């Protein structure tokens, strides 16, 4: 026992993969056990905390009438559209902003202003301008992620070693070549990390986006369930969002290690 | 006959300078605060195929001087000439090995070495021939497909050297390239560099703060003063070539070392007394 403690309490020391997975699984199982005990043991009221069985039931009935798939699909489309549009614009703009002072001067002040506005405060305006269709939801997710991405990617670009650019010049590269063949490749690991982090944030904007004037989507599903006190459905919605977030995060991690084998893995 | 003698004596001195640094000064003007004079009236000539070393305390402006020669920054005063052409910007005729590791992490060893050739538009076959030769010369055959993160510090600097040489530059600039290496690796790298230099007879301008290294490598050692950097004196290193690390303990070597150390020490005392250090 003493040697076990000794081996597992050293800071930053690796532990065997088996042990790692065991600990993760144990914690997962414990959460479910506590949940079961609280709900089945009727220690907490049923309309506060549903039983796992009830959540599974909600999932089965939702999948049966197709509403679960439809809500999920709508949300995934909203998130992916908002996120992809934001990324397509923020990656090149952020790289320029971090490496060209002129671009920085032009967009950094505006970005820092917008970045601190709560997106929910903009919703009334967005509804007025864009309406209540899917475009408005996509715009909320876009605004929520774009400005954050811009600042983070500018930082990545700013962090590229100046010596790396200088050595390229001494090897005969022109400015144009340095930008395309050195600056941009050098930012790629940081860009991928930023995209992965901000995709997680995009999921958190989903409920905000579907807060007002929505009639489909997981966020809407959760809010609507609250009105009827259907806590089993609320739980179902939350769990689906969590699982999708986890899935996209893992996909990104895989993609990064596949696309950038030369970078140290995360 | 008499005329011939007169002509013969200064012949070496008359050999035209490959690199000429003429009255160069460099000032940095920070956004806030007073301007800093990093280099003050530096003049020196490097002749063809010579190995010149600049030694000086850290912060005296060695890196700045090399960056000036590379054309990465511009002098505030004076001018730099390479082969009678004024240096106005960076170019492939001056290869540089940096103090920091500057390999492109996304390129393999071979692709790193070929970077300059590829940028210049050289066809693939020719590129491969050249990179193979220099990878062999720095002793990295078998590592062509490795990425920089799989290499040790010494190996990375060898690739950086091969990459600079692959461009066949007229002048090789080296900024404390072995400064971050352990002493065993550093000795090996010094011998490797001497070997390569002996074979290629490149003109080299090498910077270090290591006095042993400066004597072991150089034909001339220029001693720099603390800020603002000036050339204090030039020491002729008349040790025979080829040189080896075991010369470090020879009496001739020790005498040169004592001389250079005194020179630098004097300088340190002066700047210390004037409150600059
Ligand atoms: N871009 C810069 N702006 C302001 N000061 C600088 C800059 N680069 C170098 N210096 C200053 O110039 C002096 C010489 O620097 P450097 O050439 O790096 O010296 P060394 O390589 O000999 O250590 C230092 O005092 C340094 O602080
Ligand atoms: Mg330096």
């Amino acid at each position: 026992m003493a040697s076990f403690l000794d081996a597992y309490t050293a800071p930053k020391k690796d532990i065997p993969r088996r042990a790692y997975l065991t600990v993760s699984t144990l914690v997962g199982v414990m959460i479910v056990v506590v949940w079961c005990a609280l709900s089945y043991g009727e220690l907490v009221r049923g309309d506060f905390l549903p039983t796992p069985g009830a959540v599974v039931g909600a999932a089965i009935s939702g999948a049966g009438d197709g509403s679960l798939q439809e809500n999920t699909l709508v949300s995934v489309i909203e998130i992916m559209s908002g996120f992809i549009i934001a990324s397509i614009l923020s990656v090149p703009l952020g790289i320029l902003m971090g490496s060209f002072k002129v671009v920085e001067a032009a967009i950094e002040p505006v970005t820092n202003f917008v970045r601190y506005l709560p997106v929910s405060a903009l919703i009334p305006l967005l509804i007025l301008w864009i309406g209540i269709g899917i475009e408005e939801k996509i715009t909320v997710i876009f605004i929520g992620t774009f400005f954050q991405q811009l600042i983070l990617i500018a930082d990545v670009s700013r962090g590229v070693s100046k010596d790396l650019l200088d050595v390229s010049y001494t090897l005969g590269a022109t400015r144009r070549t340095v930008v395309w063949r050195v600056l941009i490749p050098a930012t790629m690991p940081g860009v991928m990390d930023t995209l992965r982090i901000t995709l997680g944030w995009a999921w958190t904007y989903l409920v905000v986006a579907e807060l007002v004037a929505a009639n489909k989507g997981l966020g809407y599903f959760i809010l609507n369930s609250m009105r009827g006190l259907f806590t089993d459905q609320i739980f179902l919605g939350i769990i689906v969002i969590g699982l999708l977030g986890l899935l996209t995060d893992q996909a990104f991690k895989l993609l990064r290690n596949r696309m950038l084998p030369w970078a140290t893995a995360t | 006959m008499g005329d011939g003698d007169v002509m013969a004596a200064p012949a070496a001195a008359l050999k035209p300078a490959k690199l000429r640094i003429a009255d160069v000064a460099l000032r940095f003007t920070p956004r806030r605060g007073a301007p800093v004079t990093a280099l003050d009236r530096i003049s020196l000539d490097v002749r063809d195929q010579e190995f010149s070393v600049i030694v000086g305390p850290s912060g005296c402006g060695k890196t700045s001087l090399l960056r000036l020669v590379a054309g990465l920054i511009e002098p505030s005063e004076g001018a730099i000439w390479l082969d009678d052409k004024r240096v106005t910007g960076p170019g492939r005729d001056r290869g540089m090995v940096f103090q920091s590791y500057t390999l492109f992490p996304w390129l393999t060893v071979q692709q790193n070495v070929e970077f300059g050739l590829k940028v210049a538009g050289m066809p693939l076959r020719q590129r491969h021939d050249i990179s193979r030769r220099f990878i062999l010369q720095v002793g990295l055959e078998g590592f062509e497909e490795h990425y920089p993160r799989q290499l040790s510090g010494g190996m990375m600097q060898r690739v950086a050297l091969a990459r600079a040489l692959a461009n066949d530059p007229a002048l090789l600039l080296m900024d404390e390239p072995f400064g971050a290496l352990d002493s065993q690796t550093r000795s090996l790298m010094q011998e490797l560099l001497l070997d390569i230099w002996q074979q290629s007879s490149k003109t080299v301008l090498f910077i270090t703060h290591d006095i042993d290294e400066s004597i072991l490598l150089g034909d001339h050692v220029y001693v720099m003063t603390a800020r603002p950097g000036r050339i204090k004196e030039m020491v002729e290193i008349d040790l025979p070539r080829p040189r080896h690390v075991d010369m470090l303990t020879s009496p001739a070597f020790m005498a040169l070392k004592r001389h250079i150390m005194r020179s630098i020490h004097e300088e340190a005392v002066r700047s210390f007394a004037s409150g600059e250090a």
Side-chain angles (χ1 to χ4, degrees), chain B residues 219-264:
Chain B
D219 293 320
H220 307 285
V221 171
Y222 295 90
V223 178
M224 270 181 83
T225 64
R227 230 172 61 189
R230 291 195 192 98
I231 304 285
K232 185 181 178 210
E233 72 170 314
M234 192 261 268
V235 182
E236 190 92 44
I237 309 295
D238 44 15
L239 299 174
R241 305 245 183 208
R243 297 196 188 145
H244 296 289
V245 173
D246 43 2
M247 283 181 177
L248 255 65
T249 47
S250 74
F253 194 101
M254 299 299 260
L256 284 164
K257 183 172 176 177
R258 198 173 309 120
H259 178 85
I260 294 174
M261 277 176 84
R262 281 222 182 103
S263 185
I264 290 181

Side-chain angles (χ1 to χ4, degrees), chain B residues 104-115:
Chain B
F104 305 114
W106 56 93
L107 299 182
T108 62
V109 166
Q110 182 174 352
Q111 291 168 332
N112 263 285
V113 174
E114 290 179 14
F115 182 88

Side-chain angles (χ1 to χ4, degrees), chain A residues 101 161-164 166-174 177 181-183 185-186 261-265, chain B residues 67 70 72 90-92 94-96 98 100 102-106 115-116 118-119 147 149 163-164 167:
Chain A
K101 286 287 166 193
S161 145
K162 189 148 184 310
D163 284 352
L164 207 61
D166 282 343
V167 82
S168 317
Y169 288 119
T170 68
L171 289 165
T174 58
T177 313
R181 296 228 191 129
V182 182
L183 179 63
W262 50 270
T264 31
Chain B
R67 290 170 60 84
L72 295 168
R92 46 181 291 132
R94 282 148 293 142
M96 183 152 167
F98 285 64
S100 60
T102 54
L103 296 188
F104 305 114
W106 56 93
F115 182 88
K118 190 170 177 187
V119 162
Y147 286 106
R149 75 175 170 98
R163 182 176 61 180
N167 261 356

Side-chain angles (χ1 to χ4, degrees), chain B residues 66-258:
Chain B
L66 219 58
R67 290 170 60 84
L68 281 167
V69 176
L72 295 168
I73 48 177
E74 280 178 32
S76 313
E77 282 167 34
I80 295 167
W81 308 79
L82 178 70
D83 286 326
D84 293 324
K85 268 191 9 226
R86 188 161 175 173
V87 168
T88 53
R92 46 181 291 132
D93 54 344
R94 282 148 293 142
M96 183 152 167
V97 179
F98 285 64
Q99 192 170 4
S100 60
Y101 299 124
T102 54
L103 296 188
F104 305 114
W106 56 93
L107 299 182
T108 62
V109 166
Q110 182 174 352
Q111 291 168 332
N112 263 285
V113 174
E114 290 179 14
F115 182 88
L117 307 173
K118 190 170 177 187
V119 162
M122 183 184 284
L124 193 92
R125 284 283 299 280
Q126 222 174 326
R127 241 158 52 204
H128 285 359
D129 285 347
I130 293 177
S131 66
R132 194 170 311 126
R133 193 166 81 234
F134 285 103
I135 288 171
L136 199 75
Q137 197 168 32
V138 297
L140 285 178
E141 61 276 36
F143 290 93
E144 289 85 352
E145 302 305 318
H146 281 58
Y147 286 106
R149 75 175 170 98
Q150 301 168 290
L151 305 178
S152 68
M155 289 160 96
M156 286 198 268
Q157 290 304 67
R158 276 189 271 170
V159 179
L161 178 60
R163 182 176 61 180
L165 289 171
N167 261 356
D168 193 24
L171 180 66
L172 184 61
L173 304 168
M174 305 187 81
D175 184 9
E176 305 196 38
F178 313 142
L181 306 178
D182 62 82
S183 61
Q184 283 83 10
T185 311
R186 190 180 315 149
S187 297
L188 294 172
M189 294 291 289
Q190 288 163 349
E191 295 202 320
L192 178 79
L193 177 62
L194 281 171
D195 262 5
I196 291 174
W197 176 72
Q198 212 99 38
Q199 288 169 35
S200 71
S201 49
K202 283 261 169 251
T203 313
V204 182
L205 185 56
F206 188 102
I207 277 176
T208 182
H209 63 256
D210 180 338
I211 298 173
D212 282 346
E213 185 169 71
S214 71
I215 302 170
L216 182 68
L217 299 176
D219 293 320
H220 307 285
V221 171
Y222 295 90
V223 178
M224 270 181 83
T225 64
R227 230 172 61 189
R230 291 195 192 98
I231 304 285
K232 185 181 178 210
E233 72 170 314
M234 192 261 268
V235 182
E236 190 92 44
I237 309 295
D238 44 15
L239 299 174
R241 305 245 183 208
R243 297 196 188 145
H244 296 289
V245 173
D246 43 2
M247 283 181 177
L248 255 65
T249 47
S250 74
F253 194 101
M254 299 299 260
L256 284 164
K257 183 172 176 177
R258 198 173 309 120

